[in-house]
Structure formats: C-alpha cells, structure tokens
Amino acid sequence: MTNTPEFEIRPLPAGAADDGGLMSELAGLVNEVYADAERGLWADGAVRTSAEEIAGLVAADEIVVALVDGRIAGCVRVQELDAGTSEFGMLAASPRHRGIGLGRELVRFAERRGRSRGHAEMQLELLVPREWRHPSKEFLAGWYGRIGYRPVGTGAVEQDYPHLSPHLATPCDFVIYRKNLGPALEPADRS
C-alpha cells in the first residue's frame, strides 16, 4: 500500500503578489513543467512565464495553488473570459508530485470556481505543433477529452498571439476546448 500525500488547493490571496520569492518559485515551477511538456515547440532559451507575470496574475486573483506538506506542488490560472465562460491555463504539477491527482483536482477546483461565479462553460487552449504530433500534447488532448472537454475551434498563434510567435521553434496552432459546467449558480447562490 502506497502512502499518497495529502494536498490542499486554494487561491493565492492578491497580497501574495508582493512575495518575490514565492512569485519566483511559481514561475520556476511553470517553466520547469512546460519546458518538458512543450519540448521542441519553443526556441532555445524561451520560457513560459516570469515572476513579474505571475505576480500580476496573483494580484488579479487568477492563481490557484496546490500545496503538499505546506509547499507549492502545483498551480493553475483561472480567469473570466466573459459573463458565461471561465478559462483555465498554466496548469502545472510538480514532477515530484505527479500521479497523486494534483492536475485533476486543480481542474476540478477551477471548474467549481467558474460555476460559483455564474459561468456555465470552462475553456482551455492547448498549444499544438501544426506539422507534427507532439507526444505530451497528444496525451493532454486525450486526458482533456476523458474529463469532458471537447474541441470547439483552432487558432493560429501568429494571428492571435503575435508576441509569442517569434519564440516558437516550429509553427503552432492552439486548439480551443470547452466543457459545459452545468447550470450556473444564481448570484444569491454564489460562494
């Protein structure tokens, strides 16, 4: 019988944005996870995020963390796209804590948060190479499908995110996935 560590998932308070060490730790986690998961998509030296960007997202109340033994083990960004839709991104689970359900629980937390804010849909974007198949991206596409997400569109990085395009090592698109979260809560029911 294996001993799976317990974890806690919670939003970071906006004031945590002033903790430079914590912001660097979160940026390092995201960059470490994405360097592996997106190997071959980005030019050498490109990073997914910075401590400054993470601080802005924390200040905007968009970062949720997973803690194992009181230490950061994962994170996800949750933002409002419009009155009926939330989006999650920057999903990262520490390689040292994979296989204990952190990613799944971070997504569930994001979905509950969206629903509690009156959103009936959750969206995510998955970066994929245009001309070849990436094993990590194939795995994620299957995983998202198994948890109820369906592709609803595709966009070209150079058109929708032109600032990212010069940092890519290969032409990429992003596949937009959506999941119906069920009936949105009425404002009086929101927590």
Side-chain angles (χ1 to χ4, degrees):
M1 182 172 165
T2 59
N3 188 10
T4 303
E6 302 250 340
F7 53 87
E8 171 192 3
I9 297 177
R10 62 179 170 84
L12 274 183
D18 296 331
D19 184 339
L22 179 58
M23 298 304 101
S24 292
E25 180 182 354
L26 281 167
L29 171 65
V30 171
N31 288 331
E32 174 188 13
V33 169
Y34 279 80
D36 182 48
E38 295 185 336
R39 189 173 316 282
L41 300 184
W42 298 94
D44 288 342
V47 292
R48 174 66 178 81
T49 192
S50 66
E52 294 77 20
E53 180 184 22
I54 295 289
L57 300 175
V58 170
D61 190 33
E62 294 181 359
I63 297 293
V64 174
V65 295
L67 303 167
V68 173
D69 298 326
R71 298 190 49 99
I72 301 288
C75 65
V76 67
R77 177 186 185 190
V78 185
Q79 65 178 322
E80 180 176 302
L81 289 183
D82 58 44
T85 311
S86 286
E87 179 180 66
F88 78 82
M90 248 190 238
L91 177 63
S94 166
R96 292 164 294 290
H97 294 98
R98 290 217 177 110
I100 64 170
L102 283 180
R104 180 183 63 244
E105 292 306 316
L106 283 163
V107 170
R108 284 183 181 159
F109 188 98
E111 291 171 352
R112 284 191 306 271
R113 192 175 209 201
R115 194 177 301 110
S116 74
R117 292 179 173 181
H119 300 155
E121 283 191 304
M122 179 64 73
Q123 175 174 299
L124 71 95
E125 294 177 352
L126 184 64
L127 183 69
V128 296
R130 192 173 294 150
E131 300 165 355
W132 52 282
R133 293 167 98 66
H134 192 287
S136 291
K137 299 304 180 163
E138 293 292 312
F139 170 82
L140 286 171
W143 186 72
Y144 290 134
R146 287 188 299 278
I147 63 172
Y149 287 84
R150 300 290 172 248
V152 297
T154 303
V157 172
E158 63 272 8
Q159 291 174 348
D160 294 304
Y161 300 103
H163 63 287
L164 296 179
S165 193
H167 304 287
L168 291 171
T170 188
C172 289
D173 292 322
F174 58 93
V175 180
I176 302 164
Y177 288 79
R178 287 208 169 187
K179 178 180 180 177
N180 185 320
L181 298 177
L185 299 176
E186 293 299 317
D189 296 335
R190 292 184 189 177
S191 53

